[in-house]
Structures are given as C-alpha cells and as structure tokens.
Amino acid sequence: MAQTSDRNRRFVLASRPKGAPTPDNFRLETGSAPEPGEGQVLLRTVFLSLDPYMRGRMSDAPSYAAPVEVDGLMVGGTVCRVAKSRHPDYAEGDWVLAYSGWQDYALSDGKGLFKLDPKRAPPSWALGILGMPGFTAYMGLTDIGQPKAGETVVVAAASGAVGSVVGQVAKQLGCRVVGIAGGKEKCDYVTGTLGFDACIDHRQPDLAEQLKAACPDGIDVYFENVGGKVFDAVLPLLNSKARVPLCGLIASYNATELPPGPDRLPLLTGTLLKKRIRMQGFIIFDDYGDRYGEFLAAMQPWLAAGKLHYREDLVDGLEAAPEAFIGMLHGANFGKLAVRVGPDDLPA
Amino acid sequence: MAQTSDRNRRFVLASRPKGAPTPDNFRLETGSAPEPGEGQVLLRTVFLSLDPYMRGRMSDAPSYAAPVEVDGLMVGGTVCRVAKSRHPDYAEGDWVLAYSGWQDYALSDGKGLFKLDPKRAPPSWALGILGMPGFTAYMGLTDIGQPKAGETVVVAAASGAVGSVVGQVAKQLGCRVVGIAGGKEKCDYVTGTLGFDACIDHRQPDLAEQLKAACPDGIDVYFENVGGKVFDAVLPLLNSKARVPLCGLIASYNATELPPGPDRLPLLTGTLLKKRIRMQGFIIFDDYGDRYGEFLAAMQPWLAAGKLHYREDLVDGLEAAPEAFIGMLHGANFGKLAVRVGPDDLPA
C-alpha cells in the first residue's frame, strides 16, 4: 500500500491502551490529499520518527503535554518534502523538518517548519542524531550531567537514538563510559562501533553484579532514560555528588499501577541526601529550546571528523508504524527507529 | 549534678538503637577533667547542640560520615569557654565554637575552633541561626532552591532551627511562604512571630488538603528536611521546574525497614521527569564550607534590622541530653534545641 499523490492515509488513536499498546489502539483512515490554500504548503511525509514519548501522548494521565484525543491524529516528528507550495518561502522539493504526525500529507502555513539542506547531512538525521534525540542527549549530559574527564558515565538504551549520543559525546569529553543494552549484538555494537569502554546486557540475570564490575570507581553521571531494573542496579553505585539527568523512563511507560512494595521512595530520597546527588528531569525543547544552535555547533565538527556514529532502524511503509512502535517499547529496534513513509528519491 | 571543675562527665554510645533511640543507648561516664599540655587549651562546654543528624551517627549503616563507635563519645557541636590555655592564640574566658561532643571538658590544639565575640551575638546562636542550621537553611534555599519573588516556598519543621530560617529568608526574598509544624502553638508562632503566610499542622488528618488550599499556585521550592507524610503531601503540588533542596529526612531516621508497598520510587522519578524538577541532596560544610562568610554577610543586616527571629529551646544539665535528643526526633522541642551544660556567666 504505497504512498500515492491523491490519497492521504493517517493513523488515529482508536482507543487508549491499558498497559502495552496493541494494534487495536490504532486505526488507519484514508481520505483525499488536501490542497494548499494561499500561504500554505502541502507536505509529503518521507520519514516519520517513532519515539518513546509517544506512549505518554496515548494516555490521558496528566503529563507535560496534552494527550492525543481519541480519534485524533497520532502526533510525531517528520521529515517531509514540499509537494505543492503557495507559500513564498518554500519551493516544491524543499526538505523540511515538521511535526505533522502519522500520515502521508499535511498542510502547513510554514510555522514550526525547519528547512533541511540534504547536502549537509542526510535529511533523516534531523529526526535523530541532529534532532530531538541527539539534542536531548547533548544538553542533558553536558548541562545537567556536567561530566568531567576521568569520571564514569553510565547510560542505558545505549545503542538507541539518545543513549548512543550520550555515550559518544561523553567519550569525546574524556569520560569512562559504560552502556547498557539488550542482547549481545547491541552490546558488541556499543563497544565495537560506538567505542564505549564497556556494555552490559540487561537481559543477563546478574545485571547488578556486572554493572558493579564495569564501574570499579562507581558512577558519577547516570543519564536516565529507562528506569526500572536498570535504575535499581545503578542506584547503589552512584558516587557522592553524582548527577542524574532524567529524560525518560521507558521501562514504566506501559505500567498500569505501581510495582509491589516495599516502598522505596524513602530509599531514593535517602540516597540523594546521603550522597548529595542531583537528580533533575528535563524536557528538551521546553528547557533548552534556545540552545539548539549551540548543540549543532558542538556536533558538526565531531560528525565531520567521523568521530560520531549513527545507526538508523528504518521500517518501510506507514502501515508498519504501529507494530514498529509497539516493538520499540520493549527494545525490538536497533538504532534510531523511523518509518520510511514514502520515497526519498523523487523531486517532491 | 552540676558541672564542676575537677570532673569530666561524658555520654558515650552504649549500644546502637534499633528504631527509636532509648535512654539505654547512652551511658554517662565520669572521669577527671584533663589538663592541657603545651600548645593546648582546655575547653569547658557551655552549650551542646542537639541535632537530627546525630541519629545517623548512632547507626553503622553507610552514610556520609563515620558512625560513632560503641563506647565512643557522642559527637556534637558545642559552644565553649577556654578554661585553661597553654596555646598562644587563646586566653582564659574566650568563647569558641567547637565540636567537642557530649561532655563537660575537652582538650584542643586549636584546630577547628572558631572564636566567638559575645558582643556581636549571643554565643549560643553559633549553634543555630548563625551556625550549621542557619547556614544549611540559607545555602540550600538560595543556591539549590533559587527562589524568585512571588514564588511559593514550603518548608517543614517550620519552627525549628533550619525551617525557621528557610522561611524567614524566603520572605525577605519576596516569596509566599507556607510552613508545616506540629501543633497549634508552633503554627501560631510560625505565622504570628516568624511572619510566614500560612502554617499547616501536620498532626491534622487532612494535611494534604490543607496544604493544597494554602498553596493555590502550587509549590515552586520545597525545602526538604523531614520526608515521610509531609513529602507525600508536597509531591502532587510541586510545579513544573520546582526545586527540592534536600538536607534531612528526620521522619525516617528511626525506620528499621522500608515502608510497605506499593513501591513509589517510579512515582517519584516519574514526577521529577514530567514536571522537570530538580531534587538535590547536600551536606552543608562538605558542599558549602567555603561560603560561610557569604552567609554571615547576608544574615547580619537582617538580624541587625530585627527582621529575623530566633527561638532557642534550652534544656539544663548534661544529664538531660539523651531525653531531649530522643524527644526532638518526634518534634517535642520548640525552637533550636541545645543543652546548657554549664553556667555561661562565669569568667571561664
């Protein structure tokens, strides 16, 4: 069911998930591709980003952003080409970063679009290493984590869009970097290609012991994007004055209730007190939106020198989005997950 | 059993408490008052500070400071007078801030002593508003809490040595300040004398509802020195970008095990994430030892202008120390608790 110019396919939220999302929670609708009015452009989606935060949008629990309404379009970052333009600043064929959601086509008046130069970097990178995930990794690590050369930095989901950047930037800053990932293949990639000092497979039953052995001097910065049993293994290893930037808790996104006791809230607060730890949540564009240029300026020399590796996990066809998203929530992807919604080699 | 010049009474740790300390955990020993050698001074204890952190020193669980050994002297900050001096920098009668513990007399080579000028402020204030508790309040509030005029600051143990300074300084900085204290008398003092905007009695069963009503715009800074049910009431009221300086958790110091479930650790980390909150533990002299002068410089004009109130709860006689300390752990004191170990009106 390929992308065509006369039809707009879109995934809406059919129902709110209870626990892990299922394909039933999504519904594919088909309509006509819209026509741009004066001052508008028609965007054709080439790449749709799939990210863990979307799980939060599917729920109506209070959060930092409004939920997707039932029957509403699933939200998401996209890399698009301008298919038709009645806007003076855009021409047919232009590449743009947009937030047009899980669909083939969208209209835009230009607000919130960011033009991409395909000669500088592959356009899809704007969804990953040069976009929200990379920006999240860079600012959380450097501004909250404040790593110093020689310190030990630990990051989970280490082969993923955020974790891979956290670890590679920390290596550039002279840190000892330990990753945590799911399975031998990912761990081999993290140490072999990304250059981390060590990587622990969280599927091993002795995760805590292995992590302790890999961090003989304790942990100075833990970049938290997972939670769950990984955080449990990290907590006793945190050093005095450790920093814990907190950008995600994917392990608990599907939870429908709190885990059974004992209540470890006082254990966490007691550890923060005794070890004088700073733990800080952040939402990248809300907290650092004005520093995107600083991020790009830091990343581009490293990328140009071949010092940063980036792996994409592209799945083909909009119809594959729900299954790919569901799988990502338990680590089925390997690298930054995105959907190639339509061809990227046509003029528009 | 008054202080005499020829005898040194000292409390040692007889046994480690299981749960709340009891008088059995302390043992009073009597020996001879020591004689200073060349380069030493003999200190006579006038005031002994009693502080919640001492509960931690009675346990051998890992913490930020070494535990008191069984049969070892109970540690503690003191205000002393020099009884005999063979040290060129000290004369008989000098007032000093020391850390000489729960005893009548101690020898010192001068290291770690801090001379006090009784004309500037009552010497006992060096144990409270101008000492460790006040310094803790000031640095935690200003450096980690970073309150802005118009924001809402909440502090528990609001009539105590730390909480009273947190709230009064926050008022000077233009904040709305809500205290939490135990009982009507303390609450009346907190609003009437200290000038907080509101004070909630944590003994009321509807603590959470009352706190919510007193914080119509939510909480921007929560100065954490208590934990337990107060923190539970605070957590849902924290605003986005709230700051939680964490200097004590007195509610859990006597706990022998974690509370029953559910496990709210993911609730806390999830809240920190969604609301982009910073929570940070600190230990005053370890983290801010070099900024004591800055603290004094900020406090003295407010004190001179009569803008800060300070209440001491002085109990008489070294033998009263264990009972007073045990009571403090459940809020029996009213104001900064210290023991008047010996007379303060004699030449030395």
Side-chain angles (χ1 to χ4, degrees):
Chain A
M1 193 173 67
Q3 197 175 47
T4 65
S5 63
D6 59 346
R7 179 184 70 179
N8 187 32
R9 301 166 303 163
R10 54 204 300 274
F11 273 107
V12 301
L13 180 65
S15 56
R16 300 201 186 280
K18 293 177 181 65
T22 64
D24 291 351
N25 298 130
F26 305 89
R27 186 175 66 243
L28 187 65
E29 297 184 341
T30 303
S32 302
E35 282 295 323
E38 186 57 36
Q40 290 187 319
V41 293
L42 177 67
L43 301 176
R44 178 178 68 80
T45 309
V46 180
F47 298 104
L48 164 65
S49 185
L50 295 178
D51 300 279
Y53 77 84
M54 294 168 173
R55 176 62 186 83
R57 300 292 191 284
M58 297 176 76
S59 295
D60 56 3
S63 188
Y64 55 88
V68 173
E69 296 299 323
V70 172
D71 298 328
L73 177 70
M74 283 293 298
V75 295
T78 53
V79 164
C80 300
R81 300 196 74 171
V82 174
K84 298 179 184 174
S85 179
R86 297 184 64 189
H87 190 295
D89 298 341
Y90 295 91
E92 271 185 45
D94 280 354
W95 288 90
V96 294
L97 176 65
Y99 197 77
S100 54
W102 296 32
Q103 60 183 344
D104 282 316
Y105 290 97
L107 295 176
S108 168
D109 62 3
K111 278 198 198 111
L113 298 185
F114 187 85
K115 275 197 200 182
L116 300 173
D117 178 356
K119 294 192 199 76
R120 286 184 70 102
S124 63
W125 289 21
L127 300 176
I129 191 166
L130 291 178
M132 183 268 285
F135 190 27
T136 297
Y138 180 83
M139 292 311 312
L141 176 69
T142 59
D143 195 65
I144 302 176
Q146 299 191 3
K148 292 181 262 304
E151 287 191 328
T152 298
V153 174
V154 171
V155 62
S159 66
V162 175
S164 63
V165 177
V166 169
Q168 292 182 94
V169 170
K171 282 303 296 179
Q172 293 300 319
L173 300 175
C175 298
R176 174 175 172 80
V177 179
V178 177
I180 299 167
K184 182 171 187 311
E185 188 187 4
K186 288 181 182 174
C187 284
D188 288 348
Y189 168 76
V190 166
T191 51
T193 301
L194 299 183
F196 287 30
D197 297 284
C199 189
I200 315 297
D201 181 356
H202 68 70
R203 297 173 184 168
Q204 299 296 316
D206 59 344
L207 165 64
E209 290 72 25
Q210 288 198 33
L211 185 62
K212 186 174 182 181
C215 301
D217 299 323
I219 298 172
D220 300 296
V221 179
Y222 174 56
F223 190 102
E224 174 64 294
N225 53 1
V226 166
K229 67 182 178 182
V230 173
F231 184 68
D232 299 347
V234 164
L235 187 59
L237 301 178
L238 290 171
N239 288 332
S240 284
K241 303 294 284 176
R243 289 81 66 197
V244 183
L246 170 58
C247 83
L249 292 166
I250 193 171
S252 61
Y253 287 172
N254 285 335
T256 53
E257 56 185 21
L258 291 171
D263 181 5
R264 296 181 306 151
L265 188 151
L267 173 70
L268 176 56
T269 54
T271 301
L272 299 183
L273 170 61
K274 287 178 192 163
K275 294 189 175 171
R276 306 141 61 201
I277 291 168
R278 182 212 281 210
M279 190 164 191
Q280 184 171 343
F282 69 105
I283 306 292
I284 185 64
F285 287 107
D286 292 356
D287 290 321
Y288 296 106
D290 58 337
R291 294 175 70 175
Y292 186 67
E294 174 186 335
F295 156 70
L296 287 181
M299 294 290 279
Q300 279 164 345
W302 288 327
L303 282 166
K307 289 182 174 169
L308 299 183
H309 294 267
Y310 179 52
R311 180 181 178 121
E312 294 179 311
D313 185 341
L314 296 177
V315 299
D316 277 304
L318 181 64
E319 62 276 20
E323 187 186 350
F325 175 72
I326 291 166
M328 178 186 63
L329 293 175
H330 54 80
N333 60 307
F334 186 178
K336 165 59 193 156
L337 182 63
V339 181
R340 190 188 281 112
V341 177
D344 58 3
D345 54 354
L346 298 181
Chain B
M1 194 171 66
Q3 196 176 48
T4 65
S5 64
D6 60 345
R7 182 184 67 180
N8 186 33
R9 300 167 304 163
R10 56 204 298 273
F11 272 107
V12 300
L13 180 65
S15 57
R16 299 201 185 281
K18 294 177 180 63
T22 63
D24 292 350
N25 298 131
F26 304 90
R27 186 175 65 243
L28 187 63
E29 297 183 343
T30 303
S32 302
E35 283 295 323
E38 186 58 33
Q40 291 187 318
V41 292
L42 178 67
L43 302 175
R44 179 177 69 79
T45 309
V46 179
F47 297 104
L48 163 66
S49 185
L50 294 179
D51 299 281
Y53 76 85
M54 294 169 174
R55 177 62 186 84
R57 300 292 192 285
M58 298 176 75
S59 295
D60 55 4
S63 187
Y64 56 88
V68 173
E69 296 299 323
V70 172
D71 299 327
L73 177 71
M74 284 293 298
V75 294
T78 52
V79 163
C80 301
R81 299 196 75 172
V82 173
K84 298 178 185 176
S85 179
R86 297 184 64 188
H87 189 295
D89 298 342
Y90 295 92
E92 271 185 44
D94 280 355
W95 287 90
V96 295
L97 175 65
Y99 197 77
S100 54
W102 295 31
Q103 60 182 345
D104 283 315
Y105 289 97
L107 294 176
S108 168
D109 62 2
K111 278 199 196 110
L113 299 185
F114 186 83
K115 276 196 200 183
L116 301 172
D117 178 356
K119 294 192 199 75
R120 287 184 71 102
S124 63
W125 288 22
L127 300 176
I129 192 167
L130 291 178
M132 184 268 285
F135 189 27
T136 297
Y138 179 83
M139 293 310 312
L141 175 69
T142 59
D143 194 66
I144 301 176
Q146 300 192 2
K148 293 182 261 303
E151 288 191 329
T152 298
V153 174
V154 171
V155 62
S159 66
V162 175
S164 62
V165 176
V166 168
Q168 292 182 96
V169 170
K171 282 302 296 179
Q172 293 301 318
L173 299 176
C175 297
R176 173 174 171 82
V177 179
V178 177
I180 298 167
K184 182 172 188 311
E185 188 187 6
K186 288 181 182 174
C187 284
D188 287 349
Y189 168 77
V190 166
T191 51
T193 302
L194 300 183
F196 287 30
D197 297 284
C199 188
I200 314 298
D201 181 356
H202 67 72
R203 296 173 185 169
Q204 299 296 316
D206 59 344
L207 165 64
E209 291 72 25
Q210 288 198 33
L211 185 62
K212 187 174 182 181
C215 301
D217 299 324
I219 298 173
D220 300 295
V221 179
Y222 173 56
F223 190 103
E224 172 65 294
N225 53 0
V226 166
K229 67 183 178 183
V230 173
F231 185 68
D232 299 347
V234 164
L235 187 59
L237 301 177
L238 290 171
N239 287 333
S240 285
K241 302 294 286 176
R243 289 81 67 196
V244 183
L246 170 58
C247 82
L249 292 165
I250 192 170
S252 62
Y253 287 172
N254 286 335
T256 53
E257 57 186 19
L258 292 170
D263 180 5
R264 297 181 306 151
L265 188 151
L267 173 70
L268 176 54
T269 54
T271 302
L272 298 184
L273 171 62
K274 287 179 193 164
K275 295 189 174 169
R276 306 140 62 200
I277 292 168
R278 183 212 280 211
M279 189 164 193
Q280 183 171 344
F282 69 105
I283 306 293
I284 186 64
F285 287 108
D286 293 355
D287 290 321
Y288 295 107
D290 58 337
R291 295 175 70 175
Y292 187 66
E294 175 185 335
F295 156 68
L296 287 181
M299 293 290 279
Q300 278 164 346
W302 287 329
L303 282 166
K307 289 182 173 168
L308 300 183
H309 294 267
Y310 180 51
R311 180 181 178 120
E312 293 180 311
D313 185 341
L314 295 177
V315 300
D316 277 306
L318 181 64
E319 61 276 21
E323 188 186 348
F325 174 73
I326 290 166
M328 177 186 64
L329 293 175
H330 55 79
N333 59 307
F334 187 178
K336 165 60 193 157
L337 182 62
V339 181
R340 191 188 280 111
V341 177
D344 59 1
D345 54 354
L346 297 181

